[in-house]
Amino acid sequence: MPQGPSSTREIPETGSIPKHIAIIMDGNGRWAKTRYMPRIAGHKQGVETVRGVIKACIERNIPYLTLFAFSSENWRRPVDEVTSLMQLFLGALEQEITRLHENGICFKVIGDLSKFEPKITEFIRIGEQLTAENKRLTFTIAANYGGRWDIMQAMRKMMMQSAELPLNFEEENLAQYLALSYAPEPDLFIRTGGEYRISNFLLWQLAYTELYFTDTLWPDFDEHELERAIQSYQQRERRFGCTSEQIQVAG
């Protein structure tokens, strides 16, 4: 079952520090291009940025971090780039799983893993099993993930569970089958790279998430950039459909 309430059904508890941050890591290729380097060099530098953001989240006691690494639409990219990304993903899994475990981080991957080669899915499974009991940070990678895919696969699982339920089901019946059901809905969504869209990421879960867009390319997104995003979040009034007066009374 979901870790937190649905923001469309009740008002969740909020605080000055987001419990869950979700990020689209955009701009790796452009970062490399401006330096006359191959696009994969930008993706490699992006892995270094991931390490820094994980560290910054732990220092700020943020318990959930979800990163959009590879969308279901990214298979449309040139074959050589996709191949390089898969090799980079495999290498990162091989190098980072033990480090994540040693730092008390629970590692998860959401998405349709059926398209990945067996070695990648094997490392994902090993990493998830090894780190399953860790509580310091739940770090999720969305790989071959799409928000519409997520809703569709949840619907299929719900229908398989009970043939009669789909005739009269509630939001919570479906929500428990979503790929990110173990985490509260994101409080803060960040997209780097200057694009202003959510690109089929967590369509269900972002219903009342605060959105933050920055022109900073992902390889340049450091602890200070994360702090700017959190400061922007702290200036928002999260009303969840209510009036300011209602929120103030409830607070």
Side-chain angles (χ1 to χ4, degrees):
M1 293 297 289
Q3 290 285 329
S6 165
S7 58
T8 59
R9 301 294 291 268
E10 57 184 292
I11 299 175
E13 270 189 41
T14 61
S16 60
I17 299 297
K19 297 185 184 71
H20 186 177
I21 295 178
I23 305 177
I24 292 181
M25 308 176 290
D26 198 9
N28 291 331
R30 281 171 286 157
W31 182 91
K33 186 176 180 180
T34 60
R35 289 160 175 79
Y36 304 100
M37 301 165 69
R39 288 176 59 86
I40 193 62
H43 293 299
K44 288 179 179 178
Q45 186 61 38
V47 173
E48 296 298 322
T49 301
V50 170
R51 295 189 183 105
V53 170
I54 290 174
K55 181 175 181 289
C57 285
I58 289 175
E59 290 172 348
R60 289 162 177 77
N61 295 315
I62 296 168
Y64 292 90
L65 172 65
T66 300
L67 303 182
F68 202 8
F70 192 85
S71 76
S72 48
E73 291 74 47
N74 284 153
W75 295 104
R76 301 168 183 168
R77 292 190 176 188
V79 174
D80 57 343
E81 181 172 347
V82 171
T83 300
S84 296
L85 285 171
M86 291 302 105
Q87 292 173 346
L88 182 61
F89 187 28
L90 178 60
L93 288 169
E94 291 176 323
Q95 294 174 21
E96 301 299 327
I97 287 174
T98 301
R99 186 180 304 178
L100 291 172
H101 183 52
E102 290 172 348
N103 284 279
I105 297 168
C106 177
F107 171 70
K108 292 181 175 290
V109 176
I110 59 172
D112 180 5
L113 304 185
S114 63
K115 281 194 173 184
F116 293 124
E117 62 178 81
K119 195 169 184 180
I120 289 178
T121 56
E122 179 185 359
F123 271 102
I124 289 172
R125 184 172 62 252
I126 291 171
E128 289 183 331
Q129 291 175 350
L130 178 66
T131 65
E133 301 303 318
N134 295 338
K135 306 295 184 185
R136 197 176 187 188
L137 171 73
T138 298
F139 170 52
T140 302
I141 288 288
N144 196 27
Y145 174 90
R148 292 183 179 181
W149 165 86
D150 195 2
I151 294 169
M152 291 296 293
Q153 66 86 28
M155 180 66 76
R156 291 189 190 99
K157 287 181 180 178
M158 184 183 70
M159 293 175 69
M160 289 175 62
Q161 187 71 18
S162 173
E164 297 179 1
L165 185 59
L167 299 176
N168 185 28
F169 68 92
E170 302 292 341
E171 182 180 309
E172 56 266 23
N173 299 124
L174 180 64
Q176 64 181 303
Y177 295 106
L178 292 168
L180 206 59
S181 62
Y182 53 84
E185 295 176 10
D187 297 299
L188 174 61
F189 162 91
I190 300 170
R191 180 169 187 153
T192 63
E195 303 291 353
Y196 293 80
R197 54 181 176 265
I198 60 174
S199 298
N200 197 21
F201 183 43
L202 302 178
L203 297 181
W204 179 288
Q205 296 88 344
L206 294 180
Y208 272 99
T209 299
E210 297 298 321
L211 309 182
Y212 178 86
F213 300 93
T214 175
D215 290 335
T216 302
L217 303 177
W218 177 248
D220 293 326
F221 190 86
D222 57 14
E223 178 182 359
H224 301 293
E225 293 289 340
L226 178 65
E227 188 59 36
R228 288 192 186 96
I230 294 173
Q231 287 174 357
S232 174
Y233 167 82
Q234 292 169 339
Q235 295 168 8
R236 317 280 181 92
E237 183 181 55
R238 306 191 71 195
R239 296 195 295 273
F240 301 99
C242 298
T243 65
S244 295
E245 290 76 16
Q246 287 175 300
I247 295 298
Q248 289 167 7
V249 170

